[in-house]
Amino acid sequence: MMLLEASDALAASLPLALFAAVVFLVLIGPVSALMRRLGWIDRPSHRKAHAGAVPIAGGIGIVLTLLVTGLWAWVAPGSLGIDPAAFAPLIERSTLALAAGALLVFAVAFTDDRTPIRARWRFLAQGAAALVAVIGGTFIASLGELFWAVEIPLPLWIAVPFTLFGVCGVINALNMSDGADGLAGGLAFIATGWFALVLAFIAGSHPQAAALLPLALGLAGALAGFLLLNLRTPWRARAAIFMGDGGSMMLGFILGWLAVRSTQAFGEAGPPPVLALWILAVPLADTVSCMLRRVAHGATPMSPDHRHLHHLLPAAGLSVRRSVAIILAAALLLGGLGVLGWRLGVADWALFWTWVGLFGAYHYAALRFWATQPEDPLAPLPEHRRYPLRELKRRILRLAGAGSGQKQEPMRTLRRP
């Protein structure tokens, strides 16, 4: 019965999603032309292998689509089959904070797409946007029964920085996945679809979930329009537009907000926080794996490289199109397993430790594969590498030697010939 009700809720908002897709496709032509004229163009470089100059029009196209669709749904909701009263719960602090935070992240990253901004200012904007969401009432107050069969509530002084860390993590995870045609948009589309299904399951008992459902499906519709021009298909060999950092970071913020809101705001009817890990499994697991490997090899966690999952599969011999299809299929499968586990009542801790086991297997396999490949040309030179764990060990040994009166030999740095 719950599944039928969720299906009905999704079907009721489907015209809105289709309308958003059409609006995007109508707007994107003049927007792309304007972006070319203004210089928002992505050109090939040592870090980017696409052919020719591509307009960075996807992000602004999605923003304009959401604004037009939202305005149309507000003025003429009956034309899209939406009850005007359903929008009332959206006029509150949490959703206004969502809009403000998303626009802030987009504005800074969109500017960075044309005129590079120092990384610290981008991180500051992300943190400010996440803080706006927290002030709006969206924060992680509980981890559920994450590690064992005991609820883990978070006091406010932990909940706030934890939420900032989590939302900023999702922002950067999706941004780092934007390295192959259709990948970031496809991952965002799949995750938005799973969050929409979650909202549909609880829409009957929570008016705000019912109000957020058209919003999620409107975003999914805009992403569907974007993917028609960005995803490699048998009839499109290359992407016609890119979303840019502005688009990927804004989408990351919205997904982070949806992850927190859907798991924290609806009490017992809502899903556990661990479900967000499953819905966002691919970008989160790939980002954490890359960061761990970078630190182990003396680079900073945010340093660029060619060692993401969307680099691994082509290095293994697959085409970019097939690599993206496999990654998106994995994201769809993992999100579905998470939602299925929630609906079947699988314990939070069982879902969490299963996720950790899958991540460990992927991380180990990725390390073994990259160990057989030539060194990444973007990797820092040996003299520029830093090994904090080795440095900590050296300091501990020095202190231990001083305490015992034994002289410790200095550790030598191995240099690449």
Side-chain angles (χ1 to χ4, degrees):
M1 186 63 181
M2 293 265 318
L3 182 59
L4 292 177
E5 293 176 355
S7 300
D8 291 341
L10 289 171
S13 297
L14 187 59
L16 182 68
L18 296 175
F19 179 80
V22 172
V23 169
F24 181 91
L25 294 174
V26 170
L27 292 177
I28 198 59
V31 169
S32 295
L34 180 62
M35 291 300 101
R36 283 186 181 276
R37 180 173 299 179
L38 295 178
W40 263 274
I41 296 175
D42 200 341
R43 293 181 172 86
S45 68
H46 68 289
R47 291 179 54 188
K48 304 172 183 179
H50 61 271
V54 180
I56 306 174
I60 187 67
I62 292 172
V63 170
L64 294 176
T65 297
L66 292 178
L67 291 175
V68 171
T69 303
L71 181 61
W72 185 276
W74 185 268
V75 174
S79 62
L80 299 175
I82 297 175
D83 182 6
F87 282 104
L90 289 180
I91 308 302
E92 64 169 24
R93 197 174 55 172
S94 62
T95 44
L96 294 177
L98 166 64
L103 289 175
L104 173 60
V105 170
F106 173 76
V108 173
F110 183 64
T111 302
D112 181 62
D113 283 327
R114 190 179 188 279
T115 305
I117 298 174
R118 292 179 69 90
R120 69 180 66 175
W121 298 114
R122 296 199 303 270
F123 285 126
L124 183 62
Q126 295 169 17
L131 185 59
V132 168
V134 171
I135 294 173
T138 301
F139 57 88
I140 303 172
S142 171
L143 297 180
E145 299 176 356
L146 191 63
F147 302 123
W148 55 85
V150 176
E151 174 116 16
I152 307 175
L154 297 181
L156 188 62
W157 62 274
I158 294 180
V160 171
F162 192 82
T163 303
L164 298 184
F165 176 79
V167 172
C168 290
V170 177
I171 292 172
N172 288 285
L174 192 66
N175 178 247
M176 290 183 184
S177 71
D178 192 17
D181 293 346
L183 183 55
L187 290 173
F189 177 79
I190 291 170
T192 303
W194 285 126
F195 282 125
L197 180 59
V198 169
L199 292 170
F201 273 119
I202 56 182
S205 56
H206 286 273
Q208 194 194 46
L212 287 175
L213 180 56
L215 179 65
L217 287 179
L219 177 59
L223 285 167
F226 169 77
L227 287 172
L228 289 176
L229 300 175
N230 180 253
L231 189 66
R232 294 189 185 186
T233 60
W235 55 88
R236 181 178 297 281
R238 300 284 179 179
I241 57 173
F242 288 159
M243 69 168 60
D245 287 349
S248 62
M249 289 189 177
M250 178 192 67
L251 290 172
F253 174 79
I254 295 174
L255 291 177
W257 188 92
L258 283 173
V260 177
R261 194 71 189 173
S262 62
T263 60
Q264 301 292 320
F266 306 116
E268 294 295 328
V274 69
L275 178 59
L277 290 179
W278 285 88
I279 291 178
L280 299 169
V282 170
L284 290 180
D286 184 49
T287 298
V288 174
S289 176
C290 285
M291 287 183 170
L292 292 176
R293 181 186 40 73
R294 289 167 184 166
V295 172
H297 287 78
T300 63
M302 301 300 293
S303 59
D305 61 18
H306 289 157
R307 292 294 189 262
H308 285 278
L309 180 57
H310 55 267
H311 298 123
L312 187 153
L313 295 180
L318 296 176
S319 67
V320 173
R321 184 188 303 168
R322 288 185 178 180
S323 299
V324 170
I326 290 172
I327 296 172
L328 296 183
L332 183 65
L333 175 63
L334 292 171
L337 289 175
V339 173
L340 181 63
W342 166 49
R343 299 309 300 172
L344 292 178
V346 177
D348 299 5
W349 57 267
L351 289 172
F352 175 73
W353 290 114
T354 302
W355 191 95
V356 170
L358 291 174
F359 166 75
Y362 164 69
H363 182 59
Y364 176 76
L367 289 178
R368 291 294 300 271
F369 175 81
W370 289 122
T372 66
Q373 302 298 305
E375 187 163 6
D376 187 355
L378 292 182
L381 296 173
E383 59 268 22
H384 295 154
R385 299 181 184 183
R386 299 292 182 268
Y387 299 91
L389 294 181
R390 295 184 186 179
E391 178 66 18
L392 178 62
K393 179 181 178 181
R394 186 181 66 81
R395 290 178 179 272
I396 292 175
L397 290 175
R398 178 183 293 177
L399 291 174
S404 62
Q406 297 178 359
K407 185 177 180 180
Q408 297 290 328
E409 294 185 2
M411 296 182 66
R412 298 177 181 176
T413 303
L414 295 178
R415 294 183 178 270
R416 184 169 49 190

